[in-house]
């Protein structure tokens, strides 16, 4: 069984649909802790370390063979807690970051919450290793209000607008799982990567 740690319930149907398409025999269990993101945005990701570990321990207690954290802001904290839990803990955006550095060295990270930018940028730097890297971070600051109000069309439109305004990049990374559908709305000629599908595939491979 794969447990998924979410900070919004909107992710549940997304990952259920991806499971049905890519790994129909995989059992999923969803844990939603919205306050983790709100507190991390206000106080910084380190402020929720203890709560993230508690949420992960809850997943293990419920029988999880692995846990996938779908929130990029707290993904690094979740991943670091794996050693004390006894099961693999994956961050949904790591496969996306690996794919980004394979596409080229000029990478733009687009996010809709500021707290996600640095964790995602740091992950890409980690995946790049010694390879040359020109990294830009862009906040689509008008988008998040639409997410919070439930206006998905406006949310994705703002993200697509921010992506299409980018120049001189080899690849664009959508930092948050909630942003994934915006990729289909962009007109840019460079790849626009999102995390849900590659992240779930990697977690499914770990569970076996």
């Amino acid at each position: 069984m794969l447990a998924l740690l979410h900070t919004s319930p909107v992710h549940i149907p997304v990952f259920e649909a991806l499971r049905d398409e890519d790994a129909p025999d995989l059992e999923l269990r969803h844990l939603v802790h919205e306050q983790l993101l709100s507190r991390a945005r206000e106080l910084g990701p380190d402020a929720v370390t203890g709560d993230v570990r508690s949420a992960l321990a809850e997943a293990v207690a419920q029988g999880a063979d692995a846990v996938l954290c779908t929130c990029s802001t707290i993904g690094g904290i979740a991943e670091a807690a794996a050693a004390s839990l006894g099961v693999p803990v994956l961050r949904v955006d790591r496969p996306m970051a690996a794919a980004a550095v394979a596409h080229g060295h000029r990478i733009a990270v687009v996010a809709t919450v500021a707290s996600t930018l640095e964790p995602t940028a740091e992950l890409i730097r980690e995946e790049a290793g010694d390879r040359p890297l020109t990294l830009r971070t862009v906040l689509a600051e008008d988008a998040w209000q639409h997410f919070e109000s439930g206006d998905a069309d406006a949310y994705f439109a703002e993200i697509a607008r921010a992506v299409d305004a980018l120049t001189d990049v080899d690849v664009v990374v959508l930092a948050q799982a909630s942003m994934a559908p915006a990729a289909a709305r962009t007109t840019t000629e460079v790849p626009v990567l999102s995390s849900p599908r590659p992240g779930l595939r990697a977690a499914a491979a770990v569970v076996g």
Side-chain angles (χ1 to χ4, degrees):
M1 184 264 284
L2 175 68
L4 292 89
L5 175 58
H6 306 297
T7 53
S8 173
V10 303
H11 299 311
I12 294 176
V14 173
F15 283 92
E16 287 284 332
L18 289 173
R19 184 276 312 275
D20 292 346
E21 293 173 11
D22 295 345
D25 295 329
L26 179 64
E27 178 187 355
L28 301 183
R29 184 164 298 170
H30 302 277
L31 302 175
V32 180
H33 292 268
E34 294 182 84
Q35 78 282 2
L36 292 177
L37 178 57
S38 58
R39 289 185 58 219
R41 291 181 65 203
E42 178 184 358
L43 303 172
D46 289 343
V48 297
T49 298
D51 290 333
V52 170
R53 288 177 176 168
S54 295
L56 295 172
E58 175 189 351
V60 174
Q62 292 179 1
D65 298 301
V67 184
L68 178 66
C69 179
T70 65
C71 176
S72 299
T73 296
I74 63 171
I77 292 170
E79 195 178 53
S84 63
L85 290 172
V87 303
V89 179
L90 299 89
R91 52 188 298 175
V92 72
D93 49 354
R94 184 171 288 282
M96 175 182 66
V101 299
H103 273 292
H105 72 276
R106 299 178 303 169
I107 301 173
V109 175
V110 180
T112 61
V113 292
S115 62
T116 304
L117 287 172
E118 183 51 34
T120 305
E122 181 58 34
L123 176 62
I124 291 172
R125 287 191 285 265
E126 182 182 326
E127 288 292 330
D130 295 330
R131 285 174 282 188
L133 182 65
T134 302
L135 190 60
R136 295 168 56 188
T137 57
V138 177
L139 181 64
E141 54 191 329
D142 293 330
W144 190 248
Q145 61 184 334
H146 300 303
F147 179 86
E148 292 184 311
S149 68
D151 189 345
D153 282 341
Y155 180 59
F156 300 139
E158 287 290 345
I159 295 165
R161 189 174 297 114
V163 170
D164 288 336
L166 293 167
T167 58
D168 300 321
V169 296
D170 298 316
V171 61
V172 178
V173 166
L174 301 180
Q176 296 145 244
S178 65
M179 302 169 70
R185 302 193 179 200
T186 62
T187 59
T188 182
E189 295 182 359
V190 303
V192 179
L193 306 183
S194 60
S195 62
R197 172 161 267 133
L200 183 65
R201 284 179 174 172
V206 167
V207 174

